[in-house]
Amino acid sequence: MNWQQLLQNGYVKEWLITDKDVEQATGSPLSTYQLKNVEAGQSSTEFRVYYAYLNAPSIGRNLLGDVEFERLTTTLEQDEQAIAIMSTGFYSYLEDKFWPGTVPDRVGLEQQGLPIQIRDINFYSRRTAALAPQVPGRENLRVFVIKKESGFNPSLPMSLGLNMTLSGEQQADATVHFSDTYQLPKKFFDITEPDTNLGPSKPWVSIWQDRLPQITVLCIALLILTVAFYKQQRLSKGTKNFHRFRWLYLFFTLFFIGFYAQGQLSVVNIYTLLLELKNGFSLDIFLLDPILFILWVYTVISLVLWGRGLFCGWLCPFGALQEMLAWIADKLQIKQLRVPTALHQQLIKLKYVILGVLVIVAFYSSTLANTLAEVEPFKTSITLGFMRPWNFVLYALLLLGIGLFIHKFYCRYVCPLGAGLAVIGKLRRFEWLNRRSECGKPCQVCRHRCGINAIDRTGQIDYNECIQCLECIVIINDEEQCAPAIIEQRKSRKQRNSNEVLIYPAERA
């Protein structure tokens, strides 16, 4: 089939957005916006998006050609699926600084009301697409993969969403959302009714089955952490062993939970939950990612019991990355900047302001809220491994760089997720980090050693800020670090020496 036949048979979907559609959505003439993507010979009044499901040979072979289709099938892993997207006209579905191999910001796929992540596979990195001459938009053709864990079903209707951001010349910038629904022809599929004896057929069930090894490892790790916290007094008595345990666990958090299992929680999850509660709660959307679901359940339970610290100090991949940078700074003998107490008390309010703005904006526009949520560097550093445009990477590196001089700067003053967890953590039942009567009166060792200023002059711990690294418990249980314990040892030695002086002359007599 040629290009026109692909369109006529519904094998490739053509989506038209006119200048009138944009003007109706924005309330302003299109001519008042700066259209950077209009190229020579392209329409300034129409924007067309073409997208196609590539796994079906009738589509993939006819669109890409035999050679490229075979290369695609060998590139995709088992049960992965792919779609192609291209566009022409006064806009582009790709952002100006799109980074190959990443998740696009402007377009996204949905099915049955649930988001389906698509990621560019940089299919034409070393060659030019060999499409037929009449195919439009070949200049920005990208192939995107759909992971098998997504639960995507090609026989069901799908929606392609587009976030269009227009820069105004004389008025404020405008961001509008468009969506287009498409369904592959029924003749591609042999559809049979499911056997009711097989149990539930919801998409999240197969996802949990596929990720069972990751789920098992994570559950074992959470059990180990729970036991460690329950036995914290015994664990913290061995300073070296405790520090080894903490090192190992933070490495596990960063590399397994973060980079491998993609288990970085985000403030987006918080306002997504609030929006779900407003619009009619459905648990299915949260069950689509078992790692995030398990982490959230565990975190909520720990919040009610002990506050935000267990997650922030042990289970946050970006927090673990900052902790490791702090270790590097210590080894390099980089002087740490101590934020004055008065300034610290003012700065910790910033993350609550950011949280409030994000939640309020989310009820107005979830698209805008997701854009503003880039204040979190999690997507750049953990989810995409710094494979993003330079401005996102620079922002993440800047925060990490400040962390070399101010311990966990982002966690303490910027993180809206930490603020949200602190709010929920006010419901905690226990304040279980034990203190001595001398803490703060007069001993200030733990306060000076606390890297995030969570201990005040009276020796009290601010559980809203504490990340429960347990370092203060290690100090209290270490007779070589705890000042009151050192003083008690000195008094005991003096007492023993005085007793020996009194005993020996009597024995000689």
Side-chain angles (χ1 to χ4, degrees), residues 30-104:
L30 186 61
S31 58
T32 61
Y33 296 102
Q34 299 174 351
L35 303 177
K36 300 179 181 179
N37 296 298
V38 177
E39 299 179 1
Q42 294 208 14
S43 172
S44 60
T45 61
E46 292 182 347
F47 169 51
R48 296 176 186 269
V49 179
Y50 302 92
Y51 58 102
Y53 176 76
L54 297 178
N55 288 58
S58 299
I59 303 175
R61 285 190 183 277
N62 282 289
L63 182 61
L64 304 181
D66 290 340
V67 175
E68 294 300 274
F69 179 74
E70 294 298 334
R71 185 166 71 91
L72 176 64
T73 57
T74 57
T75 301
L76 298 177
E77 297 182 6
Q78 184 178 1
D79 297 326
E80 287 185 341
Q81 302 174 76
I83 64 170
I85 306 178
M86 45 195 168
S87 67
T88 64
F90 63 78
Y91 200 66
S92 173
Y93 74 95
L94 291 173
E95 50 270 25
D96 297 336
K97 298 178 181 179
F98 174 75
W99 193 272
T102 65
V103 177

Side-chain angles (χ1 to χ4, degrees), residues 60-308:
R61 285 190 183 277
N62 282 289
L63 182 61
L64 304 181
D66 290 340
V67 175
E68 294 300 274
F69 179 74
E70 294 298 334
R71 185 166 71 91
L72 176 64
T73 57
T74 57
T75 301
L76 298 177
E77 297 182 6
Q78 184 178 1
D79 297 326
E80 287 185 341
Q81 302 174 76
I83 64 170
I85 306 178
M86 45 195 168
S87 67
T88 64
F90 63 78
Y91 200 66
S92 173
Y93 74 95
L94 291 173
E95 50 270 25
D96 297 336
K97 298 178 181 179
F98 174 75
W99 193 272
T102 65
V103 177
D105 290 333
R106 288 184 178 177
V107 289
L109 200 63
E110 286 190 1
Q111 191 172 70
Q112 296 181 306
L114 303 176
I116 304 293
Q117 187 184 82
I118 58 175
R119 183 187 290 268
D120 175 56
I121 59 174
N122 205 12
F123 190 64
Y124 292 109
S125 60
R126 294 186 177 89
R127 63 189 74 196
T128 303
L131 304 183
Q134 66 269 32
V135 177
R138 68 177 72 193
E139 296 81 9
N140 59 22
L141 168 66
R142 310 297 301 190
V143 176
F144 299 90
V145 66
I146 304 172
K147 294 292 186 181
K148 62 179 181 179
E149 297 87 0
S150 68
F152 178 72
N153 185 342
S155 70
L156 298 177
M158 64 192 80
S159 295
L160 187 69
L162 172 74
N163 297 319
M164 182 179 290
T165 301
L166 301 170
S167 299
E169 295 179 345
Q170 298 178 351
Q171 74 274 4
D173 294 353
T175 299
V176 291
H177 180 78
F178 298 97
S179 63
D180 184 62
T181 302
Y182 170 62
Q183 185 169 12
L184 284 163
K186 291 294 185 182
K187 61 184 179 182
F188 279 121
F189 307 97
D190 291 324
I191 300 176
T192 58
E193 292 297 324
D195 187 347
T196 56
N197 295 323
L198 295 178
S201 58
K202 293 186 177 182
W204 64 264
V205 176
S206 60
I207 295 175
W208 281 65
Q209 292 171 345
D210 291 338
R211 301 188 70 178
L212 187 59
Q214 294 181 20
I215 293 170
T216 302
V217 172
L218 177 62
C219 289
I220 293 173
L222 295 179
L223 178 62
I224 292 173
L225 182 61
T226 304
V227 172
F229 260 58
Y230 181 72
K231 299 287 187 180
Q232 62 173 273
Q233 294 299 327
R234 178 182 296 180
L235 179 63
S236 60
K237 286 183 179 179
T239 303
K240 289 185 178 179
N241 288 334
F242 171 80
H243 286 153
R244 288 181 186 134
F245 172 76
R246 181 158 171 77
W247 264 79
L248 287 172
Y249 208 95
L250 290 181
F251 269 103
F252 170 82
T253 295
L254 177 60
F255 292 101
F256 180 83
I257 296 180
F259 292 137
Y260 178 70
Q262 295 288 283
Q264 174 69 67
L265 301 188
S266 167
V267 69
V268 175
N269 306 130
I270 294 179
Y271 59 70
T272 298
L273 174 61
L274 296 177
L275 291 174
E276 280 292 307
L277 292 174
K278 174 192 173 186
N279 301 324
F281 181 77
S282 173
L283 189 61
D284 288 357
I285 190 172
F286 299 100
L287 290 170
L288 286 173
D289 193 319
I291 301 300
L292 290 181
F293 182 80
I294 293 171
L295 283 171
W296 265 118
V297 171
Y298 185 84
T299 299
V300 169
I301 294 173
S302 68
L303 286 172
V304 175
L305 293 177
W306 307 303
R308 65 172 278 203

Side-chain angles (χ1 to χ4, degrees), residues 93 210 326 374 442 447 486-487 494:
Y93 74 95
D210 291 338
E374 291 288 356
R447 185 176 76 86
I486 294 173
I487 293 173
K494 287 183 179 180

